[in-house]
Amino acid sequence: MIAPRTRTVGVVVLALAFAFARAALPQENLSFERVPLAMSSPGGWRLAERSTADAGRATVDTTVAHDGAHSLRIDRAAGGGLTRVTQRIPIDGRNGGNRIALSGYVRSSGADASLWLRVDGPGGFLAADSRGATDAPADATWTLHSVQLPLPAGAREVVLGLSVRGAGAAWFDTLAFERVDAATLPPPSGAALRYVSSALDIMQQHSINGRTIDWPILRAAALEHARGSVSHADAHLAVRFALRDAG
């Protein structure tokens, strides 16, 4: 358990309108240490358009942090709805690693908190996933979470998201966003390999596009995305990749 670091400085409330070979990507302010003098936004982050009207408030908290002096805090009074703070990052899916990963420390009190990733291409949405929404402990202790997505060759933008659902408070700090080359990761465990292989067998037997898919190529690509997996949950990234490519 990592105890929260407390200070005598107050919480700075911000307006809601603020708009493994691994390679770091050109993200901004992932530990929320850069707060503009005008206190109008934590540089690089903004409230997502689809956050509900009763989204509550977002703050840069200077009394609680996992590391450094600040964390991002989201408070919600309403039991329903969602608040999401996002950052958009341009990316070229054709060069570099074939997977992206967002990790960070999360603590919550009552609300469900999660890390979220979305990949967009020239035509819009390609893939999205989140991690932590149902398994982050609601006891105000810091917990490390990570979410990963395959990076399609057509990717042009990645959206990082910090989501809070329900009533309560949640804090985010010490984030890291990386591009991962799956080929450099260790082979999947036996259990993970069997899970992915079984899922691919079912897809091949029942896919409506089965006769037009090059299954050896799809299978090889999916098994590459399974590298580094230990559990079924880890290996589901490879299954999602195969489902998307199989149509």
Side-chain angles (χ1 to χ4, degrees), residues 142-204:
W142 289 105
T143 304
L144 179 63
H145 288 282
S146 177
V147 58
Q148 298 189 27
L149 276 178
L151 187 64
R156 293 296 178 266
E157 185 178 64
V158 173
V159 186
L160 315 184
L162 312 175
S163 302
V164 178
R165 186 181 298 276
W171 295 258
F172 302 87
D173 201 4
T174 322
L175 305 179
F177 179 51
E178 300 169 313
R179 190 162 177 171
V180 181
D181 183 357
T184 67
L185 300 177
S189 70
L193 179 60
R194 287 190 295 273
Y195 172 74
V196 176
S197 297
S198 176
L200 289 167
D201 290 342
I202 293 171
M203 288 181 215
Q204 186 168 354

Side-chain angles (χ1 to χ4, degrees), residues 26-46:
Q27 66 280 329
E28 292 186 65
N29 202 20
L30 295 190
S31 288
F32 308 100
E33 298 302 305
R34 181 165 64 82
V35 182
L37 293 177
M39 296 301 180
S40 60
S41 71
W45 296 91
R46 65 183 181 86

Side-chain angles (χ1 to χ4, degrees), residues 16-27:
L16 277 178
F18 62 66
F20 34 16
R22 292 175 167 84
L25 295 169
Q27 66 280 329

Side-chain angles (χ1 to χ4, degrees), residues 6-244:
T6 58
R7 298 167 180 82
T8 58
V9 188
V11 173
V12 181
V13 180
L14 305 180
L16 277 178
F18 62 66
F20 34 16
R22 292 175 167 84
L25 295 169
Q27 66 280 329
E28 292 186 65
N29 202 20
L30 295 190
S31 288
F32 308 100
E33 298 302 305
R34 181 165 64 82
V35 182
L37 293 177
M39 296 301 180
S40 60
S41 71
W45 296 91
R46 65 183 181 86
L47 189 70
E49 296 87 345
R50 293 189 178 181
S51 295
T52 54
D54 57 350
R57 67 176 188 173
T59 69
V60 169
D61 195 331
T62 60
T63 67
V64 176
H66 172 263
D67 189 34
H70 303 142
S71 67
L72 179 70
R73 172 174 175 162
I74 298 175
D75 292 274
R76 290 184 48 85
L82 171 75
T83 300
R84 179 172 291 147
V85 176
T86 63
Q87 180 175 156
R88 294 177 177 271
I89 299 174
I91 198 166
D92 184 350
R94 297 167 298 179
N95 302 306
N98 57 0
R99 190 186 299 183
I100 52 173
L102 173 65
S103 62
Y105 284 87
V106 180
R107 57 179 286 188
S108 62
S109 179
D112 290 332
S114 62
L115 306 180
W116 179 82
L117 273 177
R118 191 181 79 204
V119 178
D120 291 341
F125 172 83
L126 293 177
D129 197 13
S130 64
R131 181 64 63 87
T134 59
D135 54 1
D139 57 2
T141 60
W142 289 105
T143 304
L144 179 63
H145 288 282
S146 177
V147 58
Q148 298 189 27
L149 276 178
L151 187 64
R156 293 296 178 266
E157 185 178 64
V158 173
V159 186
L160 315 184
L162 312 175
S163 302
V164 178
R165 186 181 298 276
W171 295 258
F172 302 87
D173 201 4
T174 322
L175 305 179
F177 179 51
E178 300 169 313
R179 190 162 177 171
V180 181
D181 183 357
T184 67
L185 300 177
S189 70
L193 179 60
R194 287 190 295 273
Y195 172 74
V196 176
S197 297
S198 176
L200 289 167
D201 290 342
I202 293 171
M203 288 181 215
Q204 186 168 354
Q205 291 170 16
H206 300 287
S207 173
I208 60 174
N209 300 319
R211 294 185 178 181
T212 63
I213 295 171
D214 190 326
W215 287 102
I217 290 179
L218 178 59
R219 186 175 292 267
L223 291 177
E224 180 173 324
H225 277 295
R227 295 182 69 89
S229 301
V230 176
S231 66
H232 290 182
D234 298 334
H236 196 59
L237 179 145
V239 176
R240 288 197 304 273
F241 166 82
L243 284 169
R244 178 188 174 277

